[in-house]
Amino acid sequence: MAKIAVISGSPSVSSRLNGVLQSIQSQLLTAGLELHWIDVRSLPPEDLIYTNFKSPAIIEAINQIAGADAVVVATPIYKASYTGVIKTFLDLIPQKGLEGKVILPVAIGGTIAHLLALDYALKPVLAALGARIQLAGVYALDTQVQRNEDGTFELDEELDQRLTASTDEFIQEVRFRLQLGSLAAQS
């Protein structure tokens, strides 16, 4: 069974990014994939800020990434870039920590003007960590995710379709890479 690490770089518990990630989670679980969540805001702030590589919480999160076949990296976009919360965590991942993993970048922002933040801000950092198999990803607008009073979320139809298509591609790529790996192991 494929293992997926989901990194949420939102500093807010009530972020609309959670609605996007819930949609992805549902699809990944339906496909029978094993998920490991890394909610960066829940990691010890001092360990993130002071890059404490010996922190048990940081070590556990890095080990979840190391043991994953693929990684979803999700962040809100503030001021044309990913959050500082996720940047502090990405700084703790070893230099080749994403090597050989399928990556699905996901972002949400207040305006379409930040659409290219995925390509020009987040993806270069992921590439510096060894991510060579990065999918196109999904950029959502805040207005496409409605937060209900009960804490659930509703996605507009267009976003839901794009998320479904990107997550399907992610699942197919993960399965393909795993199949290649098992074929290489048999040789």
Side-chain angles (χ1 to χ4, degrees):
M1 173 186 304
K3 295 179 184 176
I4 311 298
V6 179
I7 304 170
S8 174
S10 176
S12 169
V13 174
S14 62
S15 173
R16 284 181 169 86
L17 181 64
N18 295 334
V20 173
L21 287 173
Q22 285 174 9
S23 175
I24 293 170
Q25 172 185 329
S26 174
Q27 205 171 338
L28 294 175
L29 290 174
T30 299
L33 304 178
E34 182 181 326
L35 302 184
H36 297 277
W37 283 86
I38 301 168
D39 230 344
V40 179
R41 76 174 163 275
S42 299
L43 295 173
E46 283 190 8
D47 293 344
L48 290 169
I49 296 296
Y50 295 121
T51 56
N52 182 0
F53 292 99
K54 295 181 181 179
S55 160
I58 299 298
I59 291 169
E60 181 182 340
I62 298 302
N63 285 341
Q64 286 180 351
I65 293 169
D69 300 298
V71 181
V72 175
V73 181
T75 181
I77 300 296
Y78 300 140
K79 303 199 187 329
S81 188
Y82 45 80
T83 62
V85 171
I86 202 162
K87 176 62 168 126
T88 58
F89 179 69
L90 293 175
D91 286 345
L92 290 160
I93 296 175
Q95 189 66 34
K96 297 295 179 189
L98 298 179
E99 191 170 57
K101 299 182 188 312
V102 178
I103 309 295
L104 177 62
V106 177
I108 189 167
T111 173
I112 197 69
H114 299 306
L115 170 68
L116 294 177
L118 275 175
D119 292 328
Y120 293 105
L122 185 59
K123 284 184 174 184
V125 173
L126 300 176
L129 295 171
R132 301 291 175 261
I133 312 162
Q134 294 190 56
L135 303 183
V138 177
Y139 179 81
L141 291 172
D142 286 340
T143 57
Q144 293 179 299
V145 182
Q146 303 307 314
R147 189 180 313 115
N148 299 321
E149 289 182 22
D150 64 357
T152 61
F153 297 90
E154 288 181 44
L155 308 181
D156 87 358
E157 187 176 335
E158 187 272 338
L159 173 60
D160 188 50
Q161 289 172 356
R162 287 190 297 119
L163 274 174
T164 297
S166 289
T167 306
D168 278 344
E169 178 187 15
F170 181 67
I171 292 166
Q172 290 172 4
E173 189 67 28
V174 169
R175 288 181 173 156
F176 174 72
R177 297 286 169 177
L178 286 176
Q179 186 178 25
L180 281 180
S182 68
L183 291 175
Q186 292 174 5
S187 299

